[in-house]
């Protein structure tokens, strides 16, 4: 990982690159376009493929290990950063490959210490990720897709159509950028990651798994999978697949209602994946992993704030050990979804606790910069 002054130069490097690009864009296209060669993203290669590349080019296989370390453990931004390689080797890499890093386009800091990054991808699309500090931890909330194909009515991201899935290194880079910011602004490394930003992570399962493999690998960031939560709106087939794959990270489900009619109104895909299917998949998950399930739950005024809603949730929680996180809601401008009154939240808490279900009531962070849950919509 990085020392503080190299973090500062790394962060400013992001911005310098962007500024330079916007100033020089016209000139660059005018002179260079006819000669443009599409190079492959080097981070799509496995370590073995990198070793083979060097052998094929008359060098030693271990050179591939060095480059792999630069790309993942040291999160190099350019081939020139790879200072233990000769100039010729760096040039050979430059001639054949590109490093498609994300670039922090804008960074906003909230009064409560929350940081929101709008990150620009190599094809100029933008996604957002958030650093959420508390007394005991700093958590990265990362995106898995550009936009989202699901249509949760309360979610700002749902208004952006899904453009594409993020690739593993784009997910990894968001974590590295936030880890750097955590060290720089909060004097501690990132402690936790939640896949709760833009997109449905289980609709981009393979790339999310590859990114988590890198994040948890000692050749990457070396984080414990127990500090990672993948939050899904509930895709039954993929929850079963996760159980079969014996994943080690935690699972959270954005439930918001345990009554089909209500859930379908607020999360229309529930008509395709009804609660019975979700429950069956979660039973499967629990039987295979023995891991408690966390439900993310927002209580809205007039939508799910009645006693029958709590009773349904209690029944849904009973088939496997569960925890309920009641999250404060952040309106996304129209009046349809409003945070429920505190009496309704108190009722949820009392009834759940009376049924021995662990419940926490979480206040949202970063509301002043639209970084709170459900607010990510590339507005900055
Ligand atoms: S809540 Fe999650 S799954 Fe639903 S639309 Fe928003 S980003 Fe997609």
């Amino acid at each position: 990982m990085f020392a503080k002054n190299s973090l500062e130069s790394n962060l400013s490097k992001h911005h310098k690159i962007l500024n330079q690009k916007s100033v020089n864009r016209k000139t660059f296209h005018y002179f260079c376009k006819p000669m443009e060669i599409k190079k492959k993203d080097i981070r799509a290669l496995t370590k073995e493929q990198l070793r083979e590349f060097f052998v094929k080019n008359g060098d030693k296989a271990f050179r591939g290990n060095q480059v792999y370390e630069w790309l993942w453990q040291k999160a190099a931004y350019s081939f020139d950063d790879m200072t233990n390689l000769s100039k010729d080797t760096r040039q050979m890499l430059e001639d054949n490959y590109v490093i498609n890093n994300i670039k922090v386009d804008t960074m906003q800091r909230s009064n409560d210490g929350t940081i929101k990054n709008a990150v620009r991808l190599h094809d100029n699309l933008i996604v957002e990720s958030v650093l959420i500090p508390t007394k005991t931890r700093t958590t990265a909330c990362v995106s898995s897709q550009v936009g989202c194909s699901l249509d949760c009515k309360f979610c700002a991201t749902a208004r952006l159509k899904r453009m594409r899935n993020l690739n593993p290194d784009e997910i990894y880079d968001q974590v590295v950028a936030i880890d750097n910011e955590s060290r720089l602004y909060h004097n501690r490394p990132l402690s936790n990651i939640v896949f709760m930003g833009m997109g449905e992570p289980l609709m981009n399962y393979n790339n999310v798994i590859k990114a988590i493999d890198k994040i948890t690998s000692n050749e990457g960031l070396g984080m414990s999978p127990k500090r990672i939560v993948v939050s899904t709106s509930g895709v039954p087939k993929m929850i079963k697949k996760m159980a079969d794959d014996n994943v080690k990270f935690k699972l959270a489900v954005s439930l918001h209602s345990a009554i089909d009619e209500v859930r379908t109104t607020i999360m229309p895909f529930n008509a395709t994946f009804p609660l019975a299917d979700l429950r069956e998949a979660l039973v499967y998950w629990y039987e295979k992993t023995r891991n408690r399930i966390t439900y993310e739950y927002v209580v809205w005024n007039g939508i799910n704030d009645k006693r029958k809603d709590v009773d349904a949730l209690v029944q849904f929680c009973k088939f496997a050990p569960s925890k309920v996180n009641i999250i404060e809601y952040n309106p996304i401008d129209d009046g349809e979804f409003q945070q429920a009154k505190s009496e309704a939240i108190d009722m949820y808490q009392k009834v759940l606790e009376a049924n021995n279900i662990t419940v926490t009531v979480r206040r949202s962070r970063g509301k002043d910069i639209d970084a709170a849950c459900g607010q990510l919509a590339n507005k900055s």
Side-chain angles (χ1 to χ4, degrees), residues 332-367:
I332 52 166
D333 68 30
D334 54 30
E336 199 186 339
F337 289 92
Q338 293 300 326
Q339 165 77 23
K341 296 193 171 62
S342 55
E343 295 81 47
I345 309 285
D346 293 345
M347 173 184 68
Y348 262 88
Q349 194 162 9
K350 231 166 86 188
V351 176
L352 288 165
E353 281 172 353
N355 283 278
N356 298 319
I357 298 163
T358 309
V359 54
T360 56
V361 179
R362 277 206 333 237
R363 294 193 65 75
S364 265
R365 315 273 311 227
K367 281 191 273 191

Side-chain angles (χ1 to χ4, degrees), residues 105-121:
D105 197 68
T106 53
M107 182 191 72
Q108 291 173 276
R109 291 171 71 188
S110 159
N111 298 332
D112 64 18
T114 302
I115 293 175
K116 181 171 81 169
N117 289 336
V119 298
R120 190 173 292 278
L121 310 174

Side-chain angles (χ1 to χ4, degrees), residues 128-130 132 139-145 155 157 171 174 193-202 208 228-233 250-254 256 294-298 325 327 362 364 371-376:
E128 293 179 338
S129 35
V130 182
I132 308 148
T139 302
C141 175
V142 295
S143 295
S144 53
Q145 298 181 305
C155 172
T157 308
I171 297 170
Q174 291 176 69
I193 301 171
V194 292
F195 282 80
M196 223 182 264
M198 299 170 120
E200 163 54 62
L202 298 194
V208 166
I228 300 174
V229 177
V230 170
S231 176
T232 174
S233 49
K250 294 181 182 165
L251 170 68
V253 176
S254 294
H256 307 310
T294 298
Y295 295 112
E296 308 291 353
Y297 202 101
V298 178
N325 279 340
I327 309 169
R362 277 206 333 237
S364 265
C373 278
Q375 287 188 322
L376 300 186

Side-chain angles (χ1 to χ4, degrees), residues 222-344:
M223 278 186 78
S224 164
K226 293 196 165 42
R227 293 183 170 272
I228 300 174
V229 177
V230 170
S231 176
T232 174
S233 49
V235 187
K237 194 172 93 184
M238 299 314 294
I239 291 172
K240 286 185 178 171
K241 171 141 181 60
M242 271 169 44
D244 289 339
D245 289 348
N246 197 22
V247 298
K248 299 286 182 261
F249 50 79
K250 294 181 182 165
L251 170 68
V253 176
S254 294
L255 191 63
H256 307 310
S257 176
I259 299 173
D260 267 321
E261 300 74 53
V262 178
R263 196 166 192 261
T264 301
T265 311
I266 56 180
M267 303 169 85
F269 66 87
N270 186 72
T272 317
F273 306 126
L275 287 163
D277 293 1
L278 177 58
R279 190 173 54 217
E280 192 212 331
L282 292 171
V283 169
Y284 188 85
W285 160 269
Y286 180 70
E287 282 172 356
K288 282 225 157 186
T289 66
R290 295 280 140 188
N291 280 337
R292 181 170 77 167
I293 300 151
T294 298
Y295 295 112
E296 308 291 353
Y297 202 101
V298 178
V299 188
W300 289 284
N301 211 10
I303 292 176
N304 58 353
D305 57 351
K306 304 284 179 303
R307 177 65 196 236
K308 67 175 173 45
D309 298 295
V310 197
D311 290 341
L313 177 59
V314 168
Q315 287 311 311
F316 198 85
C317 286
K318 278 198 167 154
F319 62 83
S322 349
K323 177 186 169 200
V324 176
N325 279 340
I326 296 182
I327 309 169
E328 186 186 9
Y329 184 64
N330 308 287
I332 52 166
D333 68 30
D334 54 30
E336 199 186 339
F337 289 92
Q338 293 300 326
Q339 165 77 23
K341 296 193 171 62
S342 55
E343 295 81 47

